[in-house]
Amino acid sequence: MLGIKRLGLLAALVLVGIAPAAAAQAAVQPSQQDTQYLQAMHQVNLFEITAGDLAQQKGQNQGVKDLGARFKTDHTQLDQTVQQTASQLGVQLPAEPTADQQSVLDQLNNASGEEFDRIWVTSELAGHVQAIQATQTEISQGSDQTVVQLAQTALPTLQAHYDALVQLAEQLGIPVPQASGTATPSPGGTTGTPAPGGTTESPAPGGTTTETPAPTQS
């Protein structure tokens, strides 16, 4: 009988020990901002990897082919970190790009020659503007330091991609979206005015708008 009481006491002590541990685990769950950023960036990476392949296969201009290869490499590496971080935090990632991103991929699959290059560069400009905005938002509003550090690491790469796209667009005579504000929407958001280089609408990262951006004023 005494043995049974001892077992009961041990069980109670074990439960008391588990309760704080469970509470601590619940307390470190990522915020909605951190979760949405990881999910949005994963979809950006899925889009960029596929779009990079298409650029290498179908691009008419060598600059498009070269940037496609560069973007695929960089976003593959970035996505490894995103997936590792998401796994550590218990965040479930989407299995495919957003509907808007898939629509762009469909357009690219159906295009060729100069039309392909134009669609690719235009959509990449819009997509990188949104990815940069989402990353800036995570840096300023994120709660989990691991996710914030990921965003801080990703930002220079995304900015370098955008700068290279602007140069290529100018070479090809493709209009670069104009700046019309400085608001930074949350990842994948569709509200707010884009930061410098943005379009007048805010597609999800990797997406594009149906309107043709206005040309840069000289």
Side-chain angles (χ1 to χ4, degrees):
M1 189 71 179
L2 184 59
I4 294 175
K5 288 183 178 180
R6 285 180 178 176
L7 286 174
L9 178 60
L10 286 173
L13 289 173
V14 169
L15 288 174
V16 169
I18 290 175
Q25 184 176 5
V28 299
Q29 290 299 308
S31 67
Q32 183 179 12
Q33 165 62 37
D34 295 331
T35 298
Q36 288 182 343
Y37 178 72
L38 288 172
Q39 292 172 339
M41 284 308 300
H42 179 58
Q43 289 179 304
V44 167
N45 294 329
L46 292 177
F47 171 86
E48 291 296 339
I49 291 168
T50 303
D53 274 336
L54 290 173
Q56 293 176 78
Q57 297 167 12
K58 304 184 65 175
Q60 176 172 288
N61 181 274
Q62 188 60 42
V64 171
K65 292 178 178 291
D66 292 343
L67 279 189
R70 174 181 170 186
F71 290 2
K72 178 183 178 181
T73 297
D74 290 349
H75 282 277
T76 297
Q77 293 175 349
L78 176 58
D79 201 51
Q80 291 173 353
T81 305
V82 170
Q83 291 189 53
Q84 181 180 8
T85 303
S87 177
Q88 291 173 350
L89 298 178
V91 173
Q92 186 172 359
L93 298 176
E96 56 190 16
T98 66
D100 285 344
Q101 291 165 341
Q102 188 57 57
S103 176
V104 174
L105 293 175
D106 291 343
Q107 292 180 47
L108 291 171
N109 273 310
N110 293 325
S112 60
E114 291 184 4
E115 180 189 17
F116 175 90
D117 290 353
R118 179 184 59 79
I119 294 173
W120 189 86
V121 173
T122 301
S123 63
E124 287 287 343
L125 282 166
H128 275 81
V129 165
Q130 291 300 306
I132 288 170
Q133 289 179 327
T135 300
Q136 290 171 335
T137 299
E138 173 60 29
I139 291 172
S140 63
Q141 299 181 16
S143 303
D144 188 277
Q145 193 58 35
T146 304
V147 185
V148 172
Q149 288 177 350
L150 186 157
Q152 291 172 334
T153 300
L155 186 57
T157 298
L158 295 171
Q159 187 63 57
H161 287 185
Y162 178 79
D163 292 343
L165 284 164
V166 170
Q167 292 181 1
L168 180 60
E170 291 174 347
Q171 292 172 11
L172 298 178
I174 296 173
V176 176
Q178 293 186 83
S180 55
T182 57
T184 52
S186 58
T190 56
T191 60
T193 309
T199 59
T200 54
E201 297 179 7
S202 298
T208 186
T209 62
T210 55
E211 296 182 1
T212 302
T216 302
Q217 298 295 327
S218 57

